[in-house]
Amino acid sequence: VVEFEFNPGGFPREGAIFLWLQGEPGGKARVSVNGSRLTTISVSRDLIAPGGEEKIIIPRNVLVRGINRLRIEAEPGRNIRLQKVVIAF
């Protein structure tokens, strides 16, 4: 499990998360913000390419003013490697 805190500044609006992940065949990563699961991503890449990111939309109703928490969790029994996370607004 990896958790990050971020502050969108001002009034929250829709955002996006860009993830560069690598993992075992059949592996999955669950992505949530502030306890709301946004998606589950199948991760089966051996290599991480510059254009191989996963894009996840963060709906406005999930964000709060101030500190927000992003959580990325590997499926039990699988190894997931996270290379980079970018949160954009």
Side-chain angles (χ1 to χ4, degrees), residues 11-84:
F11 289 104
R13 56 182 184 250
E14 184 178 90
I17 303 165
F18 297 89
L19 298 174
W20 284 262
L21 299 164
Q22 182 182 27
E24 299 174 354
K28 295 185 186 292
R30 293 185 288 259
V31 180
S32 59
V33 172
N34 297 326
S36 295
R37 184 172 300 168
L38 299 180
T39 191
T40 299
I41 301 169
S42 292
V43 182
S44 59
R45 291 189 203 110
D46 291 333
L47 299 172
I48 299 175
E53 76 276 358
E54 296 287 340
K55 179 181 178 185
I56 303 157
I57 298 297
I58 309 171
R60 181 180 182 167
N61 64 329
V62 172
L63 295 167
V64 297
R65 190 171 189 177
I67 302 298
N68 289 265
R69 184 176 301 266
L70 167 63
R71 181 180 173 98
I72 303 165
E73 182 177 359
E75 184 177 62
R78 300 288 183 167
N79 290 319
I80 302 294
R81 289 168 293 285
L82 177 64
Q83 182 183 45
K84 184 161 99 173

